[in-house]
Amino acid sequence: MPHRLNPAPLALAVAILALPSLSLAEAISPHLEINGFATAGGSWVSKDYNGKYLGDPYQPGAGIDEKGSYQQDSVLGVQLTYSYDDRLDMVGQIVAAGTNDFQAQAEWAYIGYRVNDNLRVRAGRFAAPWYMYTENSHVGQAYPWARLPVELYKGIPINSLDGFDLLYRQPLGDWNLDAQVTVGGAHNSYVRVANNTGLNINLSHDAVNFHLGYSVARVGLTFAKNPGGNSAEQASYLMNLYGFDTNTKNEATSFADAGMTFDDGTWMAVAEFGALRIDGWASDINAGYLSVGHYYGKWLPYALASKIETINKDQCTSAFAPALNNAANVTAQANGAVAATTATVNGLMAIIASPSSSATDVALATAELPDALVLQAQANAAAGQAATGQAAADQVVNTTCDNRDQTSYSLGFRYDATKNVSVKFQIDEVRDFKGTQGYFNGVLPGRNADTQVYTFNVNAAF
């Protein structure tokens, strides 16, 4: 029977490539298990519109263009599990992703305690429970496609949650009920999630799995308050000068997700839909996908359609109105100072150059000119900073509030070379941007634009 895929949490496997083998782990300690996973491959777009597809505005190096990318989907991870006894264990997962320039990060770091056969408690850092494939978002071997549908899975830029959760499992006749209650928060270089409380329910029976999830939180921007760093940090620093505190504007947020999978080893079908709602500074998102495939031995050809639409942009831009107005006022005042000091300098120079000026007037003008030139230079510098600040304010609004509408139609296949290794190829037709930038980085492809994305990768988990 072909290898069946399941979005439920997988027992991730022994180290890959240069990682130590399980036998070595057993030699070190019979309580220690080492698992690993990796994805390596390349992606290209037919038209990049002078930007990068799937690029991150806060990580300028990420994304796919016409020259291709060998980093976008590449990832290497290792997971260590130390079981003290049959109740207490400690789990750590380190991931080095190409989208983060392969900088190793601790995605999981928690202590788990099994209260009884049905209930388990975890405390620390674990996978953020947003979607069906959350636990396996880095594990290409765990899902059928070359990458998770970006229209839905790129909507929340947080992979891990710091806090605690309760995991409850209960058989219901021929069905299994898995419920998860989460409490915690998370942050990265530009988003902070606080007071997150969520409930996730999975109901499964043989080939079928149903998923429902809902969470509420407070979400805010966490850009660094300094003039250096990347463009987003610079923009935030200047925005703060104009009266918008991006570090403390935490808004009420909710996310709902529903999905189902069917995989009987002959047919595969997956559907998932998510709705993100953020009061204030960010546009709301509706996104989802539908995929079907059929197994032919080790081959799984599939079709995938996914879509994202962002709404309530006006609500988002209105949150930035005070900062934008302040930036415009500062720019106008700076330009006025430039005009005034330039007029003074020109007047003094005209007196000095005029043959009709008296010696006394020329002497006075000559004495005043150095100070006037200093004031003019200061005014020009202030005007330049104001113009940069206003552009930065516009950048924050465009980046944060810009709609991300797009639709992808995909065809691809997965070939299971072995139980632990698969090869995937996928072609995406990305279109229907509706005048937005979609998931391009900092460019506007246009209302009738489209592009094709070609992806090939190899995935492993042991």
Side-chain angles (χ1 to χ4, degrees), residues 334-342 345 372-388:
N335 290 336
V338 169
T341 55
T342 299
V345 169
L373 289 172
V374 170
L375 292 176
Q376 183 187 41
Q378 292 174 344
N380 286 333
Q385 184 182 23
T388 301

Side-chain angles (χ1 to χ4, degrees), residues 119-140:
L119 181 63
R120 187 175 182 225
V121 181
R122 299 188 300 180
R125 173 172 294 184
F126 45 85
W130 314 132
Y131 309 106
M132 281 199 303
Y133 289 92
T134 288
E135 294 260 353
N136 306 306
S137 60
H138 293 298
V139 188

